[in-house]
Amino acid sequence: MSQAIALPTPAATAANPLRSLRWALADALVVAGRHLTHLRSVPEKLAGMIVQPVIFVLLFGYVFGSAVTVPGVNYREFLMPGIFALTMAGTLVAAATGMAEDRQKGIIDRLRSLPIARSAAILGATLANLAEAIVGLVLLVICGLAVGWRTHTDPLRVAAGFGLLMLFQFAMNWAGIYLGMLARSADSADQIGMTIFMPLAFVGNTFVPMQGLPGWLQTVTNWNPVSAIVQATRQLFGNTGAMQATAWPMQHAAWVSLGWSLVILAIFAPLCVRRYRTMATK
Amino acid sequence: MSFSTTSSPAIEVNDVRKRFGATWALRGVDLAVQPGTILGLLGPNGAGKTTIVRILSTLLVPDAGSARVAGLDVVRQADEVRARIGLAGQYAAVDELLSGRRNLEMVGRLYHLARAESQRRASELLDQFSLTDAGDRLARTYSGGMRRRLDLAASLVARPQILFLDEPTTGLDPRARQEMWQAIRALVQGGTTLLLTTQYLDEADQLADEIAVIDRGTVVANDTPRALKASIGGEQLDLVLPDDANLPYAAALLERITDRVPAVDGEARSISVAFDGGPRTLTAIVRALDDAAIAAEDIAVRKPSLDDVFMRLTGAPTSETMQSTSHDLVGREAA
Ligand SMILES: Nc1ncnc2c1ncn2[C@@H]1O[C@H](COP(=O)(O)OP(=O)(O)O)[C@@H](O)[C@H]1O
Ligand SMILES: [Mg+2]
């Protein structure tokens, strides 16, 4: 039978690296489109994205906030960067379960049997997760503004703060996807993801200043990547209050956070691509 | 690449082995499928069918041996292989949160068809698989049969030369199964080479030009359906006696008439034997039993099953049915 559709074969595209890079990106966007279409099919998910930040802000801002005071700053202003970071870190769990589910359902097999770049399926998923996270972040910012959160620095620093948040999300995304590729099932991906997420999110400066913690715990929390992004955004937004950070990683939180995100990416992106190449779905 | 010569097989498997931990899923498999023909890979659960399909569709790398698809090595030329094959795996790989149409369009876009072309192709395939009415509904509202058809459609988006279908009808009800068979038959008229796995002898018989029987990671028989059936007999007789006193005598009698060695199950007081010659042979058997004053509790005639094939080829039932009481794998719906 003569082929009715002439396909650009990978051999042809490989001859031109720029062209194959363009295709890899185009493929990733198609995969990302698939994830984003899900939001339309499952409006509950979108509703959850809207309701959850509101609950977080109200719960922590008013319920906990009445018990905590941070010198020199309204607690809710202090809190918001913590909630931003918490939400970004939480995508680790969503990314892991999403990947595990796609594996279980054979969708990863289907993608792997297509002549597309090996990175496209994962890059597509991470881009879609990032896009969702940005929507969530915008909603959180609106909530924050409504409860009195303000930035007190110049636009450049504010932009840098949000840039760091997105980069952190993107990095956690790859880690989550890798976890989703290793996990036995979507349920187990969810459980392992939560086990990693919980200490990252709560053993740190997310909700309270760290000065009250015992010394050894402070060392741990000072180097927690979530603490770094929280402290970095507090500094960049001007929400730190009167207390001065004394530990080196907290004094240079923006750089430390940038470093963390790049290290996480440098570790997990190659691991993901390698695993995707050799993965046995079962 | 010497692919374009008509004599070289579309699929060629040479001594392929694959191990998962301590279990050898494949212990040296050889296969050859000529272009434009259908090979039915027939075997019970756990025989290694899916593993072969996954190796041939570049999803798994074999531990030893080599395989060529469309003349291309599945390991070293995996990208080129992927551009030429379609795969519908054992579990329908459809995105439940997309409509049927969007599922197909997405695959089209990933094959780098232009947007309009992938839309056109999606409509065409929905039509071909009687899914047009359901095309814009989310796939999670689809029945099992519809999902399978959508999955098959997705594997056909780029009109592959070579198609792999892993148990395309397992779990479907009889009607959906018939529809799937029709779809598959229509498909291969276009000249596609097809490797299809199944647990059902009748399915392989209905669809395949050649059947390879696989058990515990090796091919135990490879022949045309006609030859395979001839080797096990056209039909199968199951005889149950009220007590086991006459069992040996009845078995000897059946052996004499059918010229085949019957399988005797003392516990169930039953004898199974293949026979040719249809009603005439059956009448002879019943008359002989009557003459010998052997009363039957039950007599049943049926088409030979995978079990019978295995009994014949290996002298043992399939590894799967050793634990089960089911005698008839033909048409059995998966639990
Ligand atoms: N990813 C895997 N990990 C471990 N064992 C596996 C894996 N895939 C298959 N097996 C084992 O390999 C054997 C063949 O499996 P499979 O190819 O799925 O058989 P079939 O498709 O014929 O039912 C079985 O014993 C199965 O348990
Ligand atoms: Mg299987």
Side-chain angles (χ1 to χ4, degrees):
Chain A
M1 183 183 66
S2 66
Q3 273 173 285
I5 299 173
L7 291 170
T9 66
T13 44
N16 184 341
L18 212 66
R19 219 177 102 93
S20 62
L21 183 69
R22 229 191 55 217
W23 274 126
L25 269 177
D27 293 341
L29 290 179
V30 173
V31 176
R34 158 184 175 245
H35 289 271
L36 293 178
T37 313
H38 289 174
L39 283 183
R40 224 185 311 157
S41 318
V42 197
E44 308 91 90
K45 197 172 164 191
L46 202 61
M49 275 171 62
I50 297 169
V51 172
Q52 196 182 332
V54 177
I55 292 180
F56 270 25
V57 172
L58 294 182
L59 180 72
F60 291 109
Y62 289 97
V63 179
F64 288 12
S66 58
V68 183
T69 50
V70 184
V73 63
N74 170 340
Y75 176 69
R76 286 191 297 281
E77 281 205 32
F78 176 86
L79 171 72
M80 280 317 292
I83 298 209
F84 294 152
L86 186 77
T87 312
M88 297 300 105
T91 47
L92 172 110
V93 185
T97 45
M99 168 50 78
E101 227 163 77
D102 281 354
R103 253 176 65 220
Q104 265 178 331
K105 297 207 168 126
I107 290 172
I108 296 299
D109 271 0
R110 157 121 300 138
L111 292 175
R112 287 178 73 224
S113 76
L114 298 178
I116 60 174
R118 255 51 237 288
S119 56
I122 317 169
L123 185 62
T126 52
L127 288 178
N129 289 344
L130 179 63
E132 278 176 37
I134 290 173
V135 174
L137 198 55
V138 169
L139 295 170
L140 268 176
V141 165
I142 295 170
C143 288
L145 290 172
V147 299
W149 168 75
R150 296 289 182 276
T151 58
H152 304 281
T153 51
D154 53 286
L156 211 66
R157 278 165 195 275
V158 172
F162 283 113
L164 277 181
L165 279 168
M166 287 188 262
L167 180 67
F168 180 63
Q169 196 282 343
F170 195 61
M172 292 303 270
N173 230 322
W174 286 85
I177 294 230
Y178 187 61
L179 173 61
M181 291 198 286
L182 295 182
R184 197 181 302 271
S185 67
D187 279 345
S188 102
D190 185 45
Q191 278 158 13
I192 301 170
M194 283 311 275
T195 313
I196 297 170
F197 167 73
M198 282 304 198
L200 278 179
F202 292 95
V203 185
N205 55 359
T206 318
F207 303 106
V208 289
M210 292 192 294
Q211 273 77 353
L213 300 175
W216 64 270
L217 196 56
Q218 276 196 33
T219 313
V220 175
T221 53
N222 280 334
W223 286 103
N224 176 346
V226 175
S227 297
I229 180 70
V230 170
Q231 176 71 9
T233 44
R234 272 185 193 138
Q235 285 170 350
L236 289 166
F237 296 159
N239 301 133
T240 45
M243 276 186 298
Q244 292 301 312
T246 47
W248 187 87
M250 290 292 104
Q251 284 171 337
H252 307 87
W255 293 111
V256 172
S257 176
L258 180 69
W260 266 122
S261 296
L262 293 179
V263 166
I264 293 171
L265 268 177
I267 293 173
F268 286 102
L271 279 179
C272 280
V273 174
R274 212 184 67 177
R275 177 81 189 163
Y276 181 83
R277 214 186 278 273
T278 58
M279 173 158 69
T281 324
K282 192 74 207 223
Chain B
M1 269 173 275
S2 58
F3 163 54
S4 37
T5 57
T6 43
S7 60
S8 72
I11 302 171
E12 208 179 346
V13 180
N14 288 316
D15 196 28
V16 160
R17 291 153 200 269
K18 180 74 194 177
R19 188 176 65 176
F20 294 106
T23 41
W24 283 95
L26 301 178
R27 304 159 194 263
V29 167
D30 297 280
L31 289 173
V33 188
Q34 297 308 316
T37 68
I38 307 182
L39 176 77
L41 193 59
L42 175 69
N45 237 332
K49 303 182 295 297
T50 298
T51 306
I52 293 184
V53 167
R54 291 175 59 78
I55 286 173
L56 292 176
S57 54
T58 77
L59 299 180
L60 269 184
V61 174
D63 292 327
S66 67
R68 298 179 88 77
V69 167
L72 300 159
D73 187 277
V74 293
V75 178
R76 281 180 289 109
Q77 295 163 296
D79 281 330
E80 280 101 324
V81 170
R82 275 181 221 118
R84 289 167 174 78
I85 60 165
L87 166 69
Q90 187 167 357
Y91 306 97
V94 302
D95 188 333
E96 301 184 319
L97 299 181
L98 297 183
S99 68
R101 189 182 297 280
R102 288 297 295 254
N103 263 290
L104 297 178
E105 283 172 7
M106 180 184 79
V107 174
R109 298 289 288 157
L110 290 174
Y111 274 111
H112 301 163
L113 305 183
R115 187 180 299 274
E117 172 67 11
S118 51
Q119 285 170 353
R120 204 187 53 75
R121 184 74 181 129
S123 296
E124 202 174 279
L125 285 164
L126 287 173
D127 209 39
Q128 186 179 339
F129 290 97
S130 324
L131 290 168
T132 303
D133 291 340
D136 294 309
R137 275 189 359 229
L138 293 190
R140 71 168 163 200
T141 66
Y142 286 17
S143 70
M146 290 163 79
R147 272 171 213 231
R148 281 306 181 107
R149 295 208 301 277
L150 179 61
D151 193 40
L152 180 55
S155 71
L156 295 173
V157 166
R159 303 180 203 275
Q161 303 166 6
I162 295 167
L163 188 62
F164 300 101
L165 303 182
D166 196 3
E167 299 198 24
T169 67
T170 300
L172 297 187
D173 62 53
R175 207 182 119 225
R177 200 156 168 256
Q178 288 291 340
E179 285 170 358
M180 188 54 119
W181 283 3
Q182 258 166 25
I184 292 171
R185 281 201 197 97
L187 207 110
V188 293
Q189 279 168 1
T192 313
T193 306
L194 176 63
L195 189 152
L196 154 133
T197 80
T198 181
Q199 299 194 31
Y200 310 128
L201 179 62
D202 67 332
E203 180 159 292
D205 182 24
Q206 286 282 334
L207 299 172
D209 298 307
E210 213 169 283
I211 296 178
V213 182
I214 179 171
D215 186 35
R216 289 170 225 187
T218 48
V219 175
V220 294
N222 195 337
D223 223 325
T224 62
R226 180 194 292 263
L228 202 66
K229 275 193 303 179
S231 79
I232 52 167
E235 276 164 303
Q236 197 76 18
L237 176 90
D238 293 328
L239 175 71
V240 182
L241 300 183
D243 55 71
D244 51 16
N246 287 325
L247 221 48
Y249 184 66
L253 204 141
L254 289 178
E255 180 166 356
R256 187 163 50 74
I257 299 174
T258 61
D259 207 18
R260 286 198 164 82
V261 183
V264 180
D265 184 341
E267 214 169 297
R269 292 172 275 103
S270 73
I271 307 171
S272 293
V273 69
F275 68 94
D276 302 305
R280 189 179 315 189
T281 312
L282 189 60
T283 315
I285 291 171
V286 173
R287 187 174 299 144
L289 288 172
D290 200 34
D291 288 347
I294 297 174
E297 191 174 283
D298 191 21
I299 295 185
V301 176
R302 58 183 171 82
K303 294 265 180 288
S305 69
L306 180 59
D307 256 1
D308 302 317
V309 176
F310 272 84
M311 199 54 107
R312 186 74 198 175
L313 290 172
T314 63
T318 62
S319 26
E320 137 134 306
T321 48
M322 278 196 289
Q323 304 107 23
S324 99
T325 52
S326 165
H327 276 272
D328 192 356
L329 267 174
V330 174
R332 193 196 60 162
E333 298 304 326

